[in-house]
């Protein structure tokens, strides 16, 4: 028997239920998981918990709701979020609050995450879809996980069409990958 995971439920022996000694003739041998002490109950701390992740199909309301715990944490750490600067520090320069609340900041959708080995392929396929829909100036972003519209001259038609068709292309490409 193989027991794995954080929570062990029946079927695994504890130190008090040691198997018969080797060479014993008393019954069939059973594979057991042995530990020096009973397995403690593990509860995840906020730092250990998995960060929330945005989804491609999130509505603006979904995004706002997912961000609430992060914003609440910042407020609890003394950051006036109405005066928060774009560099992640509060009006009083408290970048420590952002670090303390980092575990609550939503990750990007998996399709855009640089940790996803298929993110570059996703971006390339979305760019192809956008070109197929008439977006003339669109290219994969510098980090390989996004795309940019307009080219060097910021072509307004490409930007407009790109913004219009991106959500549909994202969904289309994601659906093909599942």
């Amino acid at each position: 028997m193989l027991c794995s995971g954080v929570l062990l439920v029946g079927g695994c022996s504890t130190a008090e239920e040691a198997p018969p000694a080797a060479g014993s003739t008393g019954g069939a041998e059973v594979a057991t998981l042995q530990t020096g002490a009973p397995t403690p109950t593990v509860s995840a701390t906020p730092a250990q918990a998995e960060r929330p992740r945005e989804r491609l199909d999130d509505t603006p309301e979904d995004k706002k709701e997912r961000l609430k715990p992060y914003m609440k944490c910042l407020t609890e750490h003394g950051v006036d979020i109405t005066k928060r600067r774009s560099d992640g520090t509060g009006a009083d320069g408290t970048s420590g609050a952002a670090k303390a609340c980092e575990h609550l900041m939503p990750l990007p959708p998996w399709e855009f995450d640089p940790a996803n080995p298929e993110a570059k392929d996703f971006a390339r396929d979305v760019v192809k879809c956008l070109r197929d829909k008439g977006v003339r100036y669109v290219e994969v972003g510098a980090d390989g996980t996004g795309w940019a519209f307009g080219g060097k001259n910021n072509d307004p038609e490409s930007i407009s069409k790109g913004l219009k068709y991106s959500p549909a292309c994202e969904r289309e490409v994601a659906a093909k990958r599942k």
Side-chain angles (χ1 to χ4, degrees):
M1 168 183 279
L2 175 64
C3 296
S4 62
V6 176
L7 179 62
L8 299 177
V9 181
C12 299
S13 69
T14 63
E16 294 84 28
E17 300 169 348
S24 163
T25 58
E29 291 187 26
V30 177
T32 60
L33 178 64
Q34 294 273 330
T35 62
T39 305
T41 303
V42 179
S43 62
T45 64
Q48 295 170 329
E50 186 175 323
R51 285 174 58 185
R53 183 173 294 279
E54 293 176 355
R55 296 173 37 109
L56 285 179
D57 60 353
D58 274 353
T59 64
E61 294 79 24
D62 293 333
K63 290 178 182 183
K64 187 176 179 180
E65 194 64 32
R66 192 169 284 117
L67 198 56
K68 278 183 179 179
Y70 177 70
M71 301 307 275
K72 179 180 179 210
C73 180
L74 289 177
T75 302
E76 289 171 352
H77 281 83
V79 175
D80 181 352
I81 59 174
T82 61
K83 296 180 182 177
R84 194 160 173 261
R85 296 191 331 224
S86 63
D87 66 359
T89 61
D92 58 356
T94 57
S95 61
K99 185 126 179 106
C101 301
E102 178 177 50
H103 66 282
L104 297 171
M105 176 64 145
L107 293 167
W110 181 238
E111 293 83 359
F112 299 137
D113 195 325
N116 177 358
E118 296 178 5
K120 290 180 181 182
D121 294 334
F122 180 80
R124 184 196 65 235
D125 292 347
V126 170
V127 165
K128 181 183 181 315
C129 175
L130 289 166
R131 286 186 182 140
D132 291 347
K133 293 189 183 301
V135 181
R136 191 169 15 160
Y137 298 105
V138 59
E139 59 189 44
V140 174
D143 70 353
T145 61
W147 42 93
F149 310 116
K152 65 181 180 178
N153 296 323
N154 284 329
D155 177 59
E157 183 182 354
S158 292
I159 294 169
S160 177
K161 283 184 175 180
L163 291 171
K164 178 181 178 181
Y165 294 124
S166 275
C169 283
E170 291 168 15
R171 288 189 301 272
E172 186 178 313
V173 170
K176 288 179 182 177
R177 294 181 167 276
K178 290 188 180 194

